Each structure stands twice: as structure tokens, then as C-alpha cells.
């Protein structure tokens, strides 16, 4: 585990212990190998948006698991959240490339801190739910009305008239 010396001097011994526990949890879970395999899949399927979405979900899940392992050692939630925030702040201030868990999407970092502090993830609004249902219905209708044209090698009279 590599630590920037400037960051090490800004943290208390308890905070350093928490970061080390988090990084050792990654090692214990073999996350470095999973990350390597995940990077290979991303390289092979770089063009597929579902791979990128799934990859982001897996990365977030790995971080949540390691956070939970740190908190399982009776570490205070608030101090751990402050530690993560301080490390993230250091990363932004000094333009450093820290460990893969600390330099990510700001929205996912905010959700991670809220999760640590026990804040519930907001449920989708009614408008978002209705739009999602409408989108699924439109896609289903388009698929089923175009299904005869999707068969390879089969051209119908209707298709030739278009």
C-alpha cells in the first residue's frame, strides 16, 4: 500500500489505521485480481455501454464491501467518513492519483459518504418511475411491431413496399 507522505502527515493515527484497514480489505478480498480482470473485459468490450455501467456498479460494490469490513472492526462511522473526505480533498488539492477507491465520480463519493452515515438512498420520484415505464413500453412496442423484419433472410411483401 503506497501512501503519499503529505497525506500521512495530515491524518491522525486512527485515520491512518482506517485507511490501512480499507486497503488491506481490498487485498484480503483479492480485489486487485478482480480489478485486473475487469480492466481486461473493459478493454475487450470498450464499445459496449452496458459493460461500462456494470463495471461502475462492480467497482462501487467493492468499495462498499471494504467500507463495511472497516466498520465491522468497531470503527466510528463519522470518523471514517471524515477520513474519506479528507483523503478525497487531498487528492483534489494536490492533483495526485491516489488509490483507485479514492479518486472517482463525485456523485458516487457523495452516495458513499451518505451510505456510511446511514442516510437512505432516495427513492425515484413518481415522474421518474412513470418515464421509466413509458420507455420500457415504447421499446417493447417497437420490438414487437418490427419483429417480422428482424428475421435474417426473410423479406416480406410489407418490407419491400417500404
Amino acid at each position: 500500500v503506497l501512501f503519499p507522505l503529505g497525506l500521512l502527515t495530515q491524518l491522525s493515527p486512527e485515520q491512518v489505521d482506517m485507511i490501512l484497514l480499507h486497503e488491506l480489505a481490498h487485498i484480503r478480498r483479492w480485489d486487485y485480481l478482480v480489478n485486473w480482470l475487469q480492466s481486461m473485459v473493459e478493454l475487450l468490450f470498450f464499445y459496449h455501454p452496458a459493460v461500462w455501467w456494470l463495471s461502475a456498479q462492480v467497482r462501487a460494490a467493492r468499495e462498499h464491501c471494504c467500507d463495511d469490513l472497516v466498520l465491522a472492526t468497531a470503527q466510528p462511522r463519522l470518523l471514517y467518513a471524515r477520513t474519506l473526505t479528507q483523503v478525497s480533498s487531498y487528492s483534489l488539492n494536490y492533483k495526485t492519483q491516489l488509490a483507485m477507491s479514492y479518486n472517482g465520480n463525485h456523485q458516487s463519493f457523495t452516495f458513499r459518504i451518505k451510505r456510511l452515515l446511514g442516510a437512505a438512498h432516495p427513492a425515484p420520484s413518481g415522474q421518474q418511475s412513470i418515464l421509466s415505464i413509458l420507455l420500457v413500453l415504447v421499446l417493447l412496442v417497437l420490438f414487437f411491431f418490427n419483429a417480422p423484419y428482424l428475421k435474417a433472410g426473410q423479406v416480406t411483401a410489407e418490407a419491400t413496399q417500404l
Side-chain angles (χ1 to χ4, degrees):
V1 177
L2 299 176
F3 246 79
L5 188 58
L7 176 64
L8 191 60
T9 60
Q10 293 179 5
L11 299 174
S12 70
E14 295 84 17
Q15 290 175 312
V16 172
D17 287 345
M18 287 181 191
I19 292 175
L20 286 175
L21 283 171
H22 178 91
E23 295 307 321
L24 290 173
H26 279 297
I27 293 170
R28 181 179 180 200
R29 290 173 29 87
W30 296 59
D31 283 346
Y32 56 94
L33 289 176
V34 173
N35 190 51
W36 183 80
L37 289 171
Q38 188 174 347
S39 296
M40 291 299 112
V41 170
E42 288 173 354
L43 233 134
L44 292 173
F45 298 103
F46 66 92
Y47 55 88
H48 206 297
V51 169
W52 288 102
W53 178 81
L54 186 62
S55 182
Q57 300 302 313
V58 170
R59 286 183 203 284
R62 281 199 317 249
E63 293 305 318
H64 293 274
C65 287
C66 291
D67 289 343
D68 292 342
L69 286 172
V70 170
L71 294 175
T73 63
Q75 300 294 332
R77 287 180 179 273
L78 186 58
L79 183 60
Y80 186 57
R82 284 183 181 160
T83 302
L84 292 178
T85 304
Q86 196 169 350
V87 170
S88 180
S89 173
Y90 177 85
S91 178
L92 291 173
N93 289 338
Y94 294 102
K95 307 281 190 269
T96 57
Q97 293 293 326
L98 295 177
M100 64 183 161
S101 62
Y102 292 114
N103 58 353
N105 179 335
H106 294 297
Q107 185 178 9
S108 65
F109 181 76
T110 303
F111 174 71
R112 186 174 169 195
I113 297 298
K114 286 181 179 179
R115 181 184 168 277
L116 286 173
L117 297 176
H121 189 60
S125 68
Q127 186 179 13
Q128 288 176 333
S129 300
I130 291 171
L131 287 175
S132 298
I133 291 170
L134 284 175
L135 178 65
V136 168
L137 288 175
V138 166
L139 290 174
L140 286 173
V141 166
L142 287 174
F143 176 76
F144 284 116
F145 279 120
N146 290 324
Y149 305 118
L150 295 177
K151 295 179 183 173
Q154 183 181 23
V155 179
T156 63
E158 296 171 3
T160 56
Q161 292 174 358
L162 294 176

